Amino acid sequence: DYIDYYDQADVALCPLRKDEWNSYKSVLKIIECGAKEVPVICSKVEPYYPELKDCPGILWVENNNWLDHIRWCIKHPMQVKEMGKQLGQYCREHYDLIKWNNIRYNVLKSL
């Protein structure tokens, strides 16, 4: 049921402090947002950046400019919707489990 909470969101906030512990985390939160086509306002730190630096649908927070991005999203709901679609497409192309499982299967089979 957890993933269904994204159905209520227009935008997701992904704050993360830059430190060693957080750098070992995954980009799962972004993939969850992509699955539900919810764009993200995100801290520009590892693990999200630089792995997803070219990913559409993410507004990167630098210099603590959260409110600037939030206000922009409120004023531009149609662009926010489009950003969510772009993030969803990107995640389906780059993080598709069926595709990656086939690659894993072929690698193991070749051994």
Side-chain angles (χ1 to χ4, degrees), residues 40-101:
V40 177
I41 301 173
C42 185
S43 299
K44 190 176 180 181
V45 299
E46 288 184 284
Y48 306 126
Y49 196 91
E51 181 176 339
L52 298 169
K53 70 178 180 173
D54 297 323
C55 179
I58 299 176
L59 296 172
W60 295 107
V61 173
E62 297 181 274
N63 304 319
N64 215 19
N65 61 337
W66 291 93
L67 282 177
D68 294 339
H69 289 312
I70 292 168
R71 287 181 182 125
W72 184 89
C73 289
I74 291 168
K75 291 178 183 177
H76 300 92
M78 299 306 288
Q79 288 95 325
V80 167
K81 195 78 160 160
E82 181 60 31
M83 287 173 60
K85 290 178 184 178
Q86 292 172 353
L87 178 60
Q89 181 179 350
Y90 181 92
C91 288
R92 284 187 294 278
E93 288 174 10
H94 293 88
Y95 296 99
D96 182 277
L97 279 179
I98 294 171
K99 178 178 104 175
W100 286 106
N101 283 341

Side-chain angles (χ1 to χ4, degrees), residues 12-25:
L13 303 178
C14 295
L16 206 56
R17 181 179 303 136
K18 182 178 182 173
D19 61 31
E20 184 178 0
W21 173 256
N22 287 334
S23 72
Y24 297 117
K25 294 182 177 183

